[in-house]
């Protein structure tokens, strides 16, 4: 479970949740600024003042109903460097935002991997990274049809290729393009 995901589950009250989320964002900024494995090229780290985020908004923590696909289809993702990478699509998640219904697919390469949820929305290329954002879900128990899981868009992040072309990043498939605005999570990279 990532630190931000832990923040989502540990925060008992809304103010605790927001405070924990802000603390974890500060830790991520420190990692990006100083760690040798930061995606920010070393020559740009001196000018790095932290990632840009939408304000934490508990309204973008949604309960999603799970559909488990018994025979997960293989999906070829285009990547930022023109290659393709294959994932399986074992899950669909149905949820509501502002009274409207939406769906996102969840993908895995291996059955034990976190559930990869790449998406685009109406902030993509405007307020958020031009190629979309990612979320990872790590449920504590096996998902089954009709169960619910929390999807927290406040944890949406830009892929590493947003900071350096040396990374190859899967692009969200069209089935995960949301026809709504999700002003939550990371904003457009400040570089």
């Amino acid at each position: 479970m990532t630190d931000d995901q832990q923040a989502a589950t540990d925060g008992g009250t809304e103010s605790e949740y927001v405070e924990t989320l802000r603390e974890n964002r500060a830790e991520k900024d420190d990692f990006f600024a100083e760690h040798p494995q930061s995606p920010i090229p070393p020559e740009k780290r001196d000018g790095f003042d932290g990632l840009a985020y939408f304000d934490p908004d508990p309204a973008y923590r949604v309960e999603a109903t799970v559909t488990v696909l018994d025979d997960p289809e293989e999906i070829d993702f285009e990547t930022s460097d023109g290659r393709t990478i294959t994932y399986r699509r074992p899950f669909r998640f149905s949820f509501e935002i502002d009274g409207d219904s939406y769906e996102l697919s969840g993908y895995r390469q291996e059955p034990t991997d976190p559930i990869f949820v790449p998406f685009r929305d109406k902030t993509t290329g405007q307020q958020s990274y031009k190629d979309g954002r990612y979320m990872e879900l790590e449920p504590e128990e096996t998902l089954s049809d009709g169960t619910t899981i929390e999807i927290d868009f406040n944890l949406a992040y830009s892929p590493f290729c947003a900071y350096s072309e040396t990374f190859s990043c899967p692009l969200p498939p069209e089935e995960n393009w949301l026809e709504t605005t999700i002003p939550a999570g990371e904003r457009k990279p400040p570089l």
Side-chain angles (χ1 to χ4, degrees):
M1 185 174 284
T2 66
D3 289 341
D4 282 347
Q5 288 169 326
Q6 193 65 45
T9 58
D10 286 349
T13 66
E14 191 172 303
S15 62
E16 289 172 339
Y17 166 78
V18 169
E19 182 58 31
T20 304
L21 185 61
R22 287 189 171 133
E23 288 171 5
N24 286 314
R25 288 175 172 184
E27 288 177 21
K28 185 172 183 178
D29 285 347
D30 290 343
F31 173 88
F32 272 50
E34 300 171 9
H35 198 278
Q37 293 180 338
S38 168
I40 297 175
E43 67 275 8
K44 293 186 177 180
R45 290 184 195 160
D46 284 345
F48 177 71
D49 288 333
L51 297 173
Y53 295 95
F54 291 99
D55 288 336
D57 188 343
Y60 288 97
R61 293 169 75 185
V62 299
E63 289 296 316
T65 302
V66 178
T67 300
V68 177
L69 305 171
D70 292 329
D71 187 17
E73 183 179 353
E74 287 191 347
I75 306 291
D76 288 332
F77 282 59
E78 294 180 27
T79 64
S80 57
D81 64 358
R83 297 182 299 136
T84 60
I85 186 169
T86 303
Y87 285 84
R88 293 190 187 283
R89 179 183 50 209
F91 305 107
R92 294 285 293 164
F93 303 106
S94 304
F95 56 94
E96 288 188 2
I97 294 178
D98 294 329
D100 292 320
S101 298
Y102 299 97
E103 283 192 336
L104 285 172
S105 290
Y107 308 90
R108 283 182 166 154
Q109 288 186 304
E110 299 295 332
T112 56
D113 289 346
I115 302 167
F116 178 50
V117 185
F119 72 98
R120 294 174 60 108
D121 68 290
K122 290 186 176 182
T123 71
T124 302
Q126 306 296 318
Q127 297 122 307
S128 65
Y129 179 57
K130 68 179 179 69
D131 287 333
R133 293 179 287 166
Y134 297 168
M135 293 183 292
E136 290 181 357
L137 308 178
E138 296 186 58
E140 293 181 8
E141 49 195 58
T142 303
L143 296 180
S144 58
D145 262 353
T147 60
T148 59
I149 186 171
E150 182 179 86
I151 295 179
D152 188 349
F153 288 97
N154 292 286
L155 306 179
Y157 63 93
S158 300
F160 277 9
C161 55
Y163 308 99
S164 172
E165 293 180 0
T166 62
F167 294 94
S168 176
C169 301
L171 304 176
E174 193 168 343
E175 67 184 9
N176 274 18
W177 293 11
L178 297 173
E179 287 298 318
T180 190
T181 301
I182 307 287
E186 287 186 23
R187 296 176 71 99
K188 188 183 292 187
L191 302 174

